[in-house]
Amino acid sequence: MKTRNTLQILSLPLLKLILLTLTLLPFGAVTYNDEETEPRILQSSNTCTNTPPPQSSSSKAVIDRVLKYLDDNQSTLKSNVFQSYNKFLNSTKPSNGYTFEDFRQNLEWMARTGVPNPNNPTSPYKFYLGPDNCNNDGWQLGLVNVAAFLSQAMALGIRNDTCDELNWESNDDGLYPLSNACGMRGWDYASNYHSCDEKYNCKVRGSMMMKAVDKSRGSRTPPHLECYPRSEGRTYTGYFDPEKGVLEDRIVASTLGRTDVEGCCWWGRNEFLNLLTIIPLPEEHYRPRNPEAICSDERTMEMRWVVALFEWTERVQSYDTNGWNYIEQLNRATQGDLLNDLRFEKSSFIDEVGGILEQGCPYPPCDTVERIQRLNWANARKSSFRVALESLGLPMKSKAFREIESILWRSKDNFEEVVLRSINPTDKKTYQSYRYQFSDFMDALRLMSDVGYDNKYFYIGQTRNGEVDPVSGLANIALFLSQAVVQSIQDDACDEHNIHKFSGKFPVSNSCGQFGLSYQNISCTGKKNDMTCPLDLKQSSSGVTRSLDLRAPQPFKCAPKSQFPVTGFWDARRIEEDHRTAFANEFGRTDIEGCCWWGRGVFRNVTRGRCVFGQMNYYIGKRAADEGRASLYPTIDFCQFPEAICASEFSHQLRWVSGMFHWVQEVQTFQSRGWSYMDELREITLNETMTGNINRTLSAQVDCILTTGKVDCDAAHDRTDLLGEILSAISSFGLPTMSPTVTPPTDPPVPLPTTSPVIPPSPYPTSSQQPTSSPVIFENPSKASIEYIMSFLRDKEALIKSKILVSVSGEQSIYTFESFISNLELMAKGIRDGKFFFVGKGSSSKTRQRAIVNIAAFLAHVRTLSIESNTCDEPNTETIEPTRYPLSNACGQYGLSYQDMRCDEEEAFMECKPDPSMQMTGISRETAQPKPPPFFCGPRQFFPFTGYYDSIDDRVKNDSPSSNVFGRQNVESCCWWGRGSARATGVCLYGKLFLVEYMQSNALYSDALDQFVNGEIDENALIDIVSDTLDYGRNKGHRQTNFQLTLMLLS
């Protein structure tokens, strides 16, 4: 069976599969470009599925996920995939013969029900939509299969909007024989050229007469294909002369030597014709009249798709010959570089798929054809595959991104240390940013550098010929990051803060504008004027971040006057907003109506005003999708919901993407009086990049461009020193580095107690005295003690990495040795008076044993809670009914209400104040089934009630309220679930330290640790105290096992 238009395939076997499929069926511009393109959805390397799953094994959950994804992206698919092209008018319009709705309906049928397989009744032919796997991303494999299918349909049928194959093969004189109906490209359609079982072949009848429904557009194109018997008056057929635009009645043979069309009714129909006789059906079932019924019958809109989907399932998905297995190749393509395959390589996955469909093998010319020939329409298939991939948001990596990605991943630790550090304004201590994560940056960078928008891309060194300039690419990234650090990352903020004092106070109406700017009046001008967001006075929104200073103003908000007739100021003394009397900002505003345009994202101090959000909506938001253009976020209306950057399911990306978008719009395109940013960027040398010694002027000029739109200004900030640090951090890993050496300790190794003490343990506790209220064994460690323990642990680095800091699933752990050792050292030195992690004091054997046991107990605890599961957020694990996990468990689990876990009166000042407007979502979930979604919190304004996760259906059900054990049915002020390696919970502990506060201040633990080192109690007694204190008695056995492992490795 060979492909024809829209995947129009031809051959004798035809009617019987039509019969089967129809009786089973229920009644019833991308704007793409020639540049390197797209990522958005990233399928992880699937370490769980080492062998390709059977093509009929897609589960209900996977099918549901794919279909929902298609539904969510139908606007983009309709605008780009289901479009016909008129080459004479050079324009596109929605296809009449191939619609998204018909495709989606019949895809679901073929995926869920399929066509019976006569050779294996228990395994019907089904369209493959991906496997279940431990990464929960197998459905993306199914999307690539969908994209591959649609690429063939687009190239061969949808673009022409035809169901019938067209007469497209001319002879050496440029004439089109009418006898091409019998076969083209060397194939005789009436023969069994795909080795179909003879019993399924249609009988060739010379008396059959029919005419195709479709022909090529235009007046000078060949007529419809048709077949009819020879007669005395019609012994031969003529040809079409395109130069004259007329039919000529003169014998001209086709490439098969045919000069008539008797018995030649088997040309291709719809996307993939031809297989439809594979399985016989009972006579009483519906039977089409003839092959042309596919294009002309009352059920043609169903048949066009079902025939094609079956053809794909039976021939392409099932292909496994000479070492080429379609499912294996599909998996490799998904995890590889689809973009580079499409653009720069001679052969690609989609070429091989086309070969199977057209000629029966992945590497044409195949020996199944009578004439040696290359794959037809190869470029059209490739470009169509690209459009389908882009419309589905599937993973594609350019050569440039792969190279930059490799460098940045090798520098991840340095990147996080230099770039992703935030500063607590209270004590000026730095910490790992919560909102700005390395993985999110990489996702956004891939999206903006490989996909881009409107033929624009974030520059990472890519060139038109496929080569890469990593020097200028890294320099551009570093310049971008130097601004991002100062504007948002160091404050760990997404929303612009209220920082402009007026008359000595912070007006609530500063959300309307600060420092001389009225944000709602910042509109686009010139050609971009129509991109400005409309001013909606009924709009209301609230920011999610504010300064980390407890006395700082609340996040910005906007609302109509009906909700806030007047607004006041922030009362820092009372730590609340005072709206009793109106208090104006510098513009005299005493309301927040229409004031939703404050800055957001990594460039929150410049990405503000109705123009910026309007441009985002026009190019990458809902407006682009609504107007039929490619959109990165087709469901997000940045004009109606600008807070999506900080508080939506895509915020982790959008915080970065919004800044990159602004960078592309304002910086990369900047040219003024002979000065060009891109020219300056390309002048940067390798040495400057490696050393971080960049021209100081360029950094100041970039700052001017961002803040004033000019290359020179009076108030430019010089970020050169920070820029140098960033460049040194990320570029040095482009070259191999020597492994660091660790100086061994001068003292002899310290013998540790065995896990089975020599002295038999006495009943616990052994002492008849009450523990002292001030344990004495945790003394302030000396510098020598800290240096010793750091050196000791570095000697154990390989064991700790391979045995302790490793997840059960085997995936790369988010808990690295370097982050553990560096933070242990920080905590050992003390981050506030009297609070430190005990690592010993002095050089005695006893104190060093205590230190190592203390570390082992800590590692056992965090391995039990977080490292094994490779998670940071506390998972949702408590059920009300056997299969129901309330979403309001974010407020507390196992008898705890996290927002009520208050500090003692003398430490009440440390508490985090519960904020009803706070909104956030966790980033990690359980890796094993069941897998409730990450916890989230938010005000009742947005989440009036919450439902539950159903582990049977593997989905969230939010149709009605569902209570947790405390009766909570919402998640307002419930942002205090456990996080980090030790899962600190509650408003008190987030204001304090954790292990230091809870364990080392616990007299019972202090005494028990000393007794364990002395051999007076066993490890179970010690670790039971840890479990009882930190985990409310849960996971005791598991924690004991991890303690035994850790202690053994450290001994």
Side-chain angles (χ1 to χ4, degrees):
M1 294 164 275
K2 304 307 174 188
T3 61
R4 298 292 187 275
N5 300 332
T6 318
L7 285 64
Q8 293 159 343
I9 304 182
L10 320 148
S11 99
L12 246 184
L14 169 65
L15 289 180
K16 291 190 177 175
L17 182 49
I18 298 178
L19 304 180
L20 170 70
T21 54
L22 288 180
T23 54
L24 295 179
L25 270 173
F27 279 93
V30 168
T31 322
Y32 66 99
N33 49 67
D34 292 330
E35 298 296 322
E36 302 159 349
T37 332
E38 176 139 56
R40 191 149 40 130
I41 296 180
L42 309 177
Q43 183 189 14
S44 306
S45 179
N46 185 4
T47 56
C48 324
T49 307
N50 296 319
T51 58
Q55 64 264 27
S56 61
S57 64
S58 296
S59 68
K60 179 181 182 297
V62 169
I63 295 171
D64 289 344
R65 182 73 184 270
V66 172
L67 294 176
K68 182 181 185 303
Y69 187 86
L70 293 176
D71 290 339
D72 290 344
N73 288 270
Q74 64 177 290
S75 175
T76 305
L77 288 166
K78 288 178 180 179
S79 300
N80 299 298
V81 173
F82 297 93
Q83 294 280 314
S84 63
Y85 174 68
N86 188 319
K87 65 179 180 180
F88 302 103
L89 300 177
N90 191 28
S91 64
T92 62
K93 67 173 185 177
S95 170
N96 292 318
Y98 302 95
T99 67
F100 169 84
E101 289 78 9
D102 289 332
F103 164 70
R104 197 266 192 216
Q105 174 187 339
N106 291 287
L107 174 68
E108 181 175 4
W109 184 80
M110 278 298 296
R112 296 192 193 280
T113 304
V115 176
N117 183 346
N119 299 317
N120 186 356
T122 63
S123 181
Y125 292 109
K126 292 184 178 181
F127 194 97
Y128 181 56
L129 292 180
D132 288 298
N133 65 355
C134 62
N135 291 325
N136 199 28
D137 60 2
W139 62 282
Q140 296 175 27
L141 198 67
L143 282 179
V144 179
N145 193 33
V146 171
F149 168 85
L150 286 175
S151 70
Q152 306 297 311
M154 290 169 66
L156 304 178
I158 298 176
R159 298 291 278 179
N160 294 323
D161 211 7
T162 55
C163 178
D164 288 281
E165 182 178 17
L166 306 178
N167 187 343
W168 55 267
E169 187 174 56
S170 62
N171 62 13
D172 293 340
D173 297 323
L175 306 176
Y176 291 83
L178 301 187
S179 54
N180 276 346
C182 299
M184 290 180 272
R185 290 178 291 181
W187 294 311
D188 182 356
Y189 299 162
S191 70
N192 187 14
Y193 65 88
H194 272 303
S195 302
C196 178
D197 193 320
E198 290 291 339
K199 66 181 179 181
Y200 299 138
N201 282 344
C202 293
K203 182 178 180 180
V204 177
R205 298 196 302 271
S207 60
M208 190 179 290
M209 300 175 61
M210 66 188 65
K211 185 176 183 179
V213 172
D214 300 307
K215 67 177 288 290
S216 298
R217 294 191 184 101
S219 58
R220 293 180 176 269
T221 57
H224 306 260
L225 293 176
E226 60 180 320
C227 63
Y228 48 84
R230 282 175 292 194
S231 65
E232 291 184 2
R234 303 179 71 180
T235 57
Y236 65 89
T237 54
Y239 64 90
F240 178 78
D241 187 334
E243 288 189 4
K244 298 178 181 178
V246 297
L247 287 170
E248 298 284 359
D249 188 21
R250 182 166 61 87
I251 295 178
V252 171
S254 69
T255 55
L256 295 175
R258 291 292 297 264
T259 59
D260 67 289
V261 289
E262 185 176 278
C264 294
C265 305
W266 310 105
W267 59 83
R269 276 95 172 171
N270 99 303
E271 292 129 84
F272 309 73
L273 162 66
N274 213 31
L275 267 237
L276 301 194
T277 65
I278 293 261
I279 305 167
L281 287 176
E283 290 293 327
E284 64 269 22
H285 285 309
Y286 168 82
R287 289 184 175 277
R289 301 183 303 275
N290 53 53
E292 191 59 22
I294 294 175
C295 300
S296 61
D297 191 89
E298 65 268 25
R299 297 181 67 179
T300 177
M301 305 310 286
E302 294 175 65
M303 284 191 284
R304 293 176 186 220
W305 286 111
V306 172
V307 173
L309 290 163
F310 176 80
E311 173 80 353
W312 185 268
T313 302
E314 196 274 341
R315 293 191 50 229
V316 179
Q317 282 181 196
S318 303
Y319 191 89
D320 186 6
T321 304
N322 297 327
W324 202 100
N325 178 283
Y326 175 78
I327 301 298
E328 288 181 350
Q329 296 298 325
L330 180 71
N331 203 21
R332 291 175 186 172
T334 305
Q335 296 176 17
D337 184 358
L338 290 171
L339 177 63
N340 229 33
D341 279 354
L342 288 171
R343 182 159 177 77
F344 300 114
E345 297 179 10
K346 293 181 179 179
S347 179
S348 74
F349 165 73
I350 206 63
D351 289 327
E352 293 159 3
V353 170
I356 294 171
L357 200 58
E358 181 180 275
Q359 299 187 23
C361 79
Y363 305 110
C366 308
D367 56 11
T368 57
V369 297
E370 299 172 13
R371 291 191 309 164
I372 294 178
Q373 54 190 293
R374 295 184 302 170
L375 178 66
N376 288 282
W377 306 300
N379 290 335
R381 297 173 203 256
K382 280 187 177 181
S383 62
S384 296
F385 190 41
R386 183 192 191 103
V387 172
L389 288 168
E390 289 178 349
S391 300
L392 289 170
L394 285 166
M396 297 168 66
K397 288 185 181 180
S398 66
K399 181 178 179 181
F401 184 81
R402 291 203 319 274
E403 186 162 336
I404 294 297
E405 179 185 42
S406 175
I407 294 171
L408 292 178
W409 268 103
R410 289 199 298 273
S411 66
K412 178 177 180 288
D413 289 345
N414 280 6
F415 189 105
E416 291 178 332
E417 184 63 31
V418 174
V419 178
L420 304 181
R421 300 292 294 178
S422 301
I423 303 172
N424 188 316
T426 304
D427 58 14
K428 305 304 179 185
K429 296 289 185 180
T430 66
Y431 64 95
Q432 183 71 47
S433 172
Y434 166 74
R435 286 179 177 81
Y436 296 97
Q437 300 289 316
F438 179 79
S439 59
D440 296 335
F441 168 76
M442 294 302 296
D443 287 352
L445 184 65
R446 187 180 185 192
L447 191 65
M448 292 299 289
S449 63
D450 269 1
V451 186
Y453 64 94
D454 194 42
N455 291 331
K456 297 175 183 176
Y457 307 88
F458 188 92
Y459 180 73
I460 56 172
Q462 60 268 61
T463 62
R464 289 184 177 274
N465 62 5
E467 297 304 315
V468 184
D469 178 8
V471 173
S472 60
L474 286 172
N476 191 49
I477 292 171
L479 281 160
F480 168 82
L481 290 172
S482 68
Q483 294 289 330
V485 167
V486 174
Q487 291 202 36
S488 295
I489 299 173
Q490 67 181 10
D491 294 327
D492 208 6
C494 180
D495 291 283
E496 180 183 357
H497 292 163
N498 188 344
I499 58 174
H500 186 194
K501 273 191 174 182
F502 187 70
S503 298
K505 297 178 180 179
F506 297 102
V508 173
S509 55
N510 272 349
S511 60
C512 301
Q514 302 186 101
F515 302 106
L517 294 176
S518 175
Y519 300 156
Q520 72 188 65
N521 294 326
I522 302 177
S523 56
C524 304
T525 59
K527 295 181 179 179
K528 297 179 180 179
N529 182 56
D530 70 330
M531 297 182 190
T532 303
C533 285
L535 185 60
D536 182 0
L537 299 182
K538 296 181 180 179
Q539 199 167 353
S540 63
S541 183
S542 176
V544 295
T545 66
R546 63 172 185 170
S547 173
L548 298 175
D549 187 336
L550 290 177
R551 295 188 178 276
Q554 287 288 313
F556 277 145
K557 58 176 170 283
C558 63
K561 291 180 182 179
S562 59
Q563 185 175 346
F564 283 93
V566 296
T567 55
F569 62 92
W570 172 254
D571 188 331
R573 183 180 59 84
R574 297 170 59 189
I575 316 182
E576 64 180 19
E577 291 179 350
D578 187 339
H579 295 294
R580 290 175 294 180
T581 58
F583 189 87
N585 69 357
E586 61 179 312
F587 297 103
R589 291 291 298 265
T590 58
D591 66 282
I592 49 175
E593 188 171 74
C595 296
C596 304
W597 313 106
W598 61 84
R600 296 168 172 94
V602 76
F603 280 178
R604 65 198 172 102
N605 292 331
V606 292
T607 52
R608 50 199 178 190
R610 292 191 292 136
C611 181
V612 168
F613 292 103
Q615 287 187 67
M616 289 183 65
N617 204 40
Y618 180 87
Y619 286 116
I620 66 174
K622 189 174 185 296
R623 181 176 172 184
D626 290 347
E627 294 179 0
R629 291 176 281 107
S631 173
L632 302 180
Y633 301 98
T635 61
I636 293 183
D637 190 328
F638 291 100
C639 290
Q640 287 295 313
F641 185 37
E643 192 62 20
I645 294 172
C646 303
S648 72
E649 61 179 313
F650 300 110
S651 331
H652 60 294
Q653 283 183 357
L654 281 170
R655 285 191 281 265
W656 291 105
V657 167
S658 60
M660 292 177 183
F661 174 86
H662 195 70
W663 188 266
V664 173
Q665 287 287 98
E666 304 300 327
V667 179
Q668 287 184 188
T669 58
F670 189 89
Q671 297 183 48
S672 177
R673 290 179 290 183
W675 191 94
S676 163
Y677 170 77
M678 292 304 297
D679 289 344
E680 294 291 321
L681 189 68
R682 293 187 178 103
E683 291 296 320
I684 296 174
T685 66
L686 175 61
N687 181 62
E688 288 173 328
T689 304
M690 295 293 291
T691 61
N693 186 24
I694 297 291
N695 182 348
R696 248 174 220 286
T697 305
L698 180 58
S699 176
Q701 289 169 327
V702 168
D703 191 69
C704 284
I705 294 169
L706 278 175
T707 55
T708 70
K710 301 176 182 179
V711 71
D712 297 309
C713 61
D714 296 330
H717 293 88
D718 184 0
R719 319 278 191 208
T720 308
D721 292 339
L722 175 59
L723 175 63
E725 288 184 54
I726 295 172
L727 273 172
S728 297
I730 65 178
S731 62
S732 59
F733 281 78
L735 299 173
T737 57
M738 295 180 64
S739 301
T741 57
V742 178
T743 305
T746 54
D747 296 70
V750 180
L752 289 174
T754 61
T755 57
S756 299
V758 176
I759 302 174
S762 55
Y764 174 75
T766 58
S767 174
S768 60
Q769 298 179 344
Q770 292 294 322
T772 60
S773 59
S774 301
V776 296
I777 70 166
F778 296 124
E779 298 174 287
N780 194 350
S782 64
K783 181 179 179 182
S785 299
I786 295 173
E787 290 176 350
Y788 169 80
I789 207 70
M790 294 301 111
S791 177
F792 174 84
L793 292 173
R794 287 195 179 278
D795 285 344
K796 303 285 186 179
E797 179 177 353
L799 285 173
I800 294 173
K801 282 183 175 179
S802 62
K803 301 296 184 181
I804 299 175
L805 302 180
V806 60
S807 65
V808 172
S809 66
E811 63 184 348
Q812 182 178 0
S813 177
I814 61 175
Y815 297 98
T816 66
F817 177 84
E818 282 302 322
S819 62
F820 161 67
I821 201 76
S822 62
N823 286 286
L824 178 64
E825 183 176 5
L826 177 69
M827 292 293 293
K829 292 177 179 178
I831 61 172
R832 73 181 177 90
D833 293 342
K835 303 297 180 182
F836 50 84
F837 193 103
F838 179 72
V839 294
K841 182 175 184 180
S843 58
S844 72
S845 171
K846 186 72 69 177
T847 190
R848 289 181 175 174
Q849 287 183 26
R850 290 171 179 155
I852 293 171
V853 172
N854 192 43
I855 293 170
F858 168 77
L859 287 174
H861 176 62
V862 299
R863 176 169 167 77
T864 301
L865 289 185
S866 303
I867 297 174
E868 287 184 336
S869 60
N870 204 24
T871 56
C872 181
D873 294 276
E874 175 186 4
N876 188 343
T877 57
E878 186 176 33
T879 59
I880 297 300
E881 296 179 15
T883 64
R884 294 188 176 189
Y885 296 77
L887 302 186
S888 55
N889 277 348
C891 303
Q893 302 188 97
Y894 302 101
L896 298 174
S897 174
Y898 299 156
Q899 71 189 72
D900 296 322
M901 295 172 66
R902 315 298 292 270
C903 295
D904 294 334
E905 185 175 350
E906 64 272 18
E907 294 182 330
F909 69 96
M910 297 184 186
E911 284 182 6
C912 294
K913 184 179 179 180
D915 181 0
S917 66
M918 189 179 292
Q919 184 175 342
M920 64 187 66
T921 302
I923 60 174
S924 56
R925 64 194 294 185
E926 284 282 28
T927 55
Q929 293 289 357
K931 295 183 179 180
F935 281 145
F936 72 101
C937 62
R940 295 185 194 182
Q941 175 187 358
F942 302 131
F943 307 100
F945 63 85
T946 54
Y948 63 94
Y949 166 82
D950 190 323
S951 61
I952 299 297
D953 294 340
D954 190 26
R955 67 186 182 93
V956 170
K957 296 184 178 179
N958 253 332
D959 300 327
S960 59
S962 180
S963 303
N964 70 356
V965 293
F966 285 98
R968 287 295 297 266
Q969 296 180 347
N970 63 79
V971 288
E972 187 174 273
S973 299
C974 294
C975 305
W976 311 105
W977 61 82
R979 296 173 176 90
S981 60
R983 300 267 170 84
T985 55
V987 295
C988 179
L989 285 178
Y990 274 102
K992 300 168 63 175
L993 305 177
F994 190 55
L995 185 94
V996 170
E997 290 284 347
Y998 255 48
M999 292 309 303
Q1000 292 185 184
S1001 299
N1002 186 311
L1004 199 60
Y1005 174 70
S1006 170
D1007 286 350
L1009 189 147
D1010 201 32
Q1011 291 164 9
F1012 175 73
V1013 171
N1014 291 333
E1016 298 169 3
I1017 61 173
D1018 67 3
E1019 72 272 12
N1020 293 342
L1022 174 65
I1023 295 304
D1024 279 352
I1025 295 177
V1026 176
S1027 296
D1028 290 337
T1029 305
L1030 298 181
D1031 204 15
Y1032 308 97
R1034 299 191 299 261
N1035 303 307
K1036 285 187 176 181
H1038 195 176
R1039 194 173 281 103
Q1040 288 165 1
T1041 300
N1042 279 326
F1043 180 65
Q1044 292 171 1
L1045 168 67
T1046 305
L1047 199 58
M1048 178 185 69
L1049 295 176
L1050 294 182
S1051 63

